[in-house]
Amino acid sequence: MEKVLTVEMQIAERARKYPEETLTNLHEFIDVPLLHACFDSLNKRGASGVDAETWKDYNDQRGERIPQLLAAFKSGKYRAPNIRRVYIPKGDGKLRPLGLPTVEDKLLGTAVSRVLTPVYEQLFYPTSYGFRPGKSQHQALEELSREVSLKGKRYIIDADMQNYFGSIDHQCLREFLDRRIKDGVIRKMIDKWLKAGVLENGQVMYPTEGTPQGGTISPLISNIYLHYVLDEWFKEQIQPLLNGESFIIRFADDFLLGFTNKEDAIRVMQVLPKRLGKFGLTLHPEKTRLIDLKEEGKGQQGQEKKTFDFLGFTHYMGKSRKGKCILKRKTSSKKLNASLKRTSEWIKLNRHKLSMPVLIADLNQKLRGHYAYYGVTFNSRRLNSYYYQTRRLLHKWLNHRGGKRVWTWEKVAKLTEEWIPLEKPRIYHSYQLAKP
C-alpha cells in the first residue's frame, strides 16, 4: 500500500508540474504490485459478473492471473467482458439498473482509476464531493449550511437529472479526456469499457452512450464529464456574469445551485437546461425547481412548503437557539420509509434463523449504520422515530414466529431496554451552525 501511495504522489506531482500538457505514459505506473494492492481493496463479498467468478476464486490464482492481466492490458489484447445488469430497488417503488463487472475487470478498472485520480484531483473544484478521496456527503451538507445560513444564499435551484449515468455522450467524453490524458494504452482501455456489452435477461446489448453503473472506473468518468459540463462552466462562465453571490455543491450527479440574487437564479434556471442539453443531458422537468427560502412560514394555502431534498435529507429554514434564521435538516420521508421497509424485511427473514442475542446484535449494527449517516444536528426527532418504529417492527415480527402471541409490548420494551439493549440514537455530526 505504501508503494501505491508513492505512485499516486508521483502522478500528482507530474500533473502539477505540467498543468497545461496532456499526459502520455501513465500506464507505466500500473504494475504487478499496484494490481495486487488494488485487488486487496476490492469488496471480497461483491457480486460476481458474467463468468460467476468470486473474489476468492480469483484470489486462489492471483499469483498467475495478475501478471497475465497486466501483459494483456499493456499489449492491448485485453477484451472488456460483458457486464451483467441487475436491478435494485430505489426505495420509491422504482428500480435502479446496476452493472456487475467480472472480478478481473473490477481489478483493472480500479488500477486505471488509481492512476487517473491524482491527475483529476488537480482539476476538480472543492465544491465537487462525490466519489473523491477525503470528500464525503457530510462535508457537502456542512458547506450547504454555511452558504445558506451564514452567507444568505436563499434562492436554491434543486436540479434533478434524468438517467445521467446512461446519458453520457461518448464522443464528448473522449474530447474531455483529450484535454489531459493521451496515454494510448489507457484511452483504448476506457473505449473498450464504454463499448462493453450489457447482459440482461440472456440478451447482450451494446450501448452507444452512458457508463455502466457498478464499473469501478464509472465514478471517475462521471465526475470528469460533469466537471467540464457543469462545474467549470458555472465557475468560469456563469459566476463572473452574476450580480450577487452564488454557489454550486455537487455530489456525483446530484447538485444544488444557490444565489443571493433572485434575478440571477431565474437567469441560470433558464440557461441550465440548454447547457446540459448540449452534452446529451436532460433535467427532469417536474423535479427541477427554483426554491425561495426567504419566504416566511411553511407556505400559504395551496403552495408547497419551502423545502428541498439533498443527499437523503429534507432541508428547510428554521430558527437557531438565538433566534436567527438557519438551514435545518431531517431524514427525508422517502429515505426513512425505505430504511424501515428494509429493516422490516430483514427482521421477518431472520426472526426464525437467529437466536435473540444474535438477532439484536445484527439489528444494532444496522441501527448504528443508520445513525452514523443520519445522526446530524436538528435530526433527533427523525432518529428517534426510526428507533421506536424499529422496536415496533421487532414486536410485530416476534409475534409472527408461530404459536401464541407471547411478546407483549411491555416484554419487548424490557428486552430492548434491559435484557439485550437496542442501540439508541445519537448525533454523530454536530454542526457549529446550531449556535450562531
Side-chain angles (χ1 to χ4, degrees), residues 74-104:
K74 297 216 171 181
S75 66
K77 292 179 181 177
Y78 180 82
R79 295 181 64 186
N82 293 333
I83 290 171
R84 183 165 71 93
R85 178 176 284 171
V86 297
Y87 288 86
I88 56 174
K90 285 175 69 174
D92 56 1
K94 296 180 182 177
L95 297 173
R96 183 193 304 278
L98 180 66
L100 298 175
T102 64
V103 174
E104 191 163 70

Side-chain angles (χ1 to χ4, degrees), residues 238-277:
I238 297 300
Q239 283 187 318
L241 301 176
L242 302 178
N243 295 316
E245 294 182 1
S246 60
F247 73 79
I248 177 172
I249 292 176
R250 181 172 68 80
F251 193 94
D253 61 326
D254 202 359
F255 69 94
L256 298 171
L257 304 174
F259 308 84
T260 55
N261 183 293
K262 190 171 186 177
E263 285 68 34
D264 287 342
I266 293 170
R267 284 164 59 206
V268 173
M269 188 74 169
Q270 290 169 343
V271 299
L272 184 61
K274 297 171 188 172
R275 171 66 184 182
L276 296 179

